[in-house]
Amino acid sequence: MEYAISMELLRVYVLMNNDLKEIIIRVASEEDAEALLNIYTYYVKNTAITFEHEVPTLEEFKNRIKETLKNYPYLVAVVDGEVAGYIYASRFRTRASYAWSASTSIYLDKQYHRLGIGRMLYAELEHILVKQNVINVYAGAADPVEEDEYLTRNSEHFHEAIGYKTVARYHECGSKFGRWYNLLEMEKIIGKRT
C-alpha cells in the first residue's frame, strides 16, 4: 500500500487547563524515536497495556518506525513543541486476503490522557487508512481478569467510545508481572466494500 501524506496533517488550538495549547499531528520520523520510546518505556515497565517485557533499544525503535512507514501511517501528536503521544497502523494478518484490514496501536504520555489527543490521533489515522482502502481496523486491548495496579479497562472504554466493538476475547493469553491477562480484539469498520 503506497500513500503520500503531508508532514503536517493537522494543527489545532485547544484550551487545556485554562491554557491555550497548539496541537500538531504529523507523520513520525526516525528522529522522533527517542521521544516516542520514552513514552513507550513507561508502559513496558509499569503496565500490562503492552505485553512486551523488555524496553526496545533506540535502534530497534527507530527501525520499527521506518518499517511501519513503508506501508502504513505512523503519526505523532505534538503539544506546544512537546511530543504527547503517537499512533500507528500495521498489517492485520499476512495473507493477501487481509489487505483491506489493519491493526492499530496508540500510546500517550500519561500527562496527556483524557484531553482529546487520542481521539484526534485516531481520526487522522483512520482518515489516512480509508485513503489506503482499509475497511476494517483492529485494536488489541489488554484486559484484566480483575483490574489491578498494572491494568484497568480504560483502553477498552476508550476504544468503545470511538466506535470500536469487542469481537473476541482471548482468555489469560498474556502473562506479565506474575499475573495472567486477557486480550480483547476490538474492531471498527471505517470504509465501504465495493
Side-chain angles (χ1 to χ4, degrees), residues 61-112:
F61 211 80
K62 283 181 182 179
N63 193 54
R64 289 180 186 186
I65 294 169
K66 182 175 78 172
E67 289 302 311
T68 298
L69 285 170
K70 287 181 180 177
N71 296 299
Y72 292 97
Y74 200 128
L75 307 177
V76 175
V78 179
V79 177
D80 280 352
E82 181 178 322
V83 174
Y86 64 98
I87 191 170
Y88 61 91
S90 58
R91 194 172 189 139
F92 172 65
R93 299 277 192 269
T94 58
R95 304 279 191 263
S97 294
Y98 294 112
W100 293 269
S101 298
S103 292
T104 65
S105 294
I106 186 170
Y107 294 93
L108 295 178
D109 186 300
K110 58 185 191 292
Q111 72 175 321
Y112 291 105

Side-chain angles (χ1 to χ4, degrees), residues 2-18:
E2 290 193 26
Y3 65 99
I5 52 179
S6 69
M7 284 303 286
E8 187 176 307
L9 299 170
L10 178 67
R11 181 187 298 252
V12 295
Y13 296 88
V14 296
L15 199 58
M16 290 183 188
N17 302 323
N18 296 319

Side-chain angles (χ1 to χ4, degrees), residues 59-175:
E59 280 309 307
E60 183 180 349
F61 211 80
K62 283 181 182 179
N63 193 54
R64 289 180 186 186
I65 294 169
K66 182 175 78 172
E67 289 302 311
T68 298
L69 285 170
K70 287 181 180 177
N71 296 299
Y72 292 97
Y74 200 128
L75 307 177
V76 175
V78 179
V79 177
D80 280 352
E82 181 178 322
V83 174
Y86 64 98
I87 191 170
Y88 61 91
S90 58
R91 194 172 189 139
F92 172 65
R93 299 277 192 269
T94 58
R95 304 279 191 263
S97 294
Y98 294 112
W100 293 269
S101 298
S103 292
T104 65
S105 294
I106 186 170
Y107 294 93
L108 295 178
D109 186 300
K110 58 185 191 292
Q111 72 175 321
Y112 291 105
H113 285 202
R114 302 186 186 281
L115 297 173
I117 296 168
R119 285 178 179 269
M120 287 182 219
L121 282 166
Y122 257 108
E124 288 304 311
L125 183 81
E126 291 171 4
H127 178 75
I128 296 165
L129 291 173
V130 166
K131 290 182 177 196
Q132 288 183 281
N133 298 312
V134 170
I135 299 169
N136 298 30
V137 287
Y138 295 91
D143 176 50
V145 176
E146 290 183 27
E147 289 191 18
D148 60 32
E149 67 269 29
Y150 303 111
L151 188 64
T152 66
R153 290 190 167 80
N154 288 349
S155 181
E156 175 186 3
H157 298 300
F158 167 72
H159 284 89
E160 286 174 344
I162 60 170
Y164 282 74
K165 296 190 180 342
T166 299
V167 293
R169 173 176 276 113
Y170 305 107
H171 298 276
E172 298 183 76
C173 63
S175 176

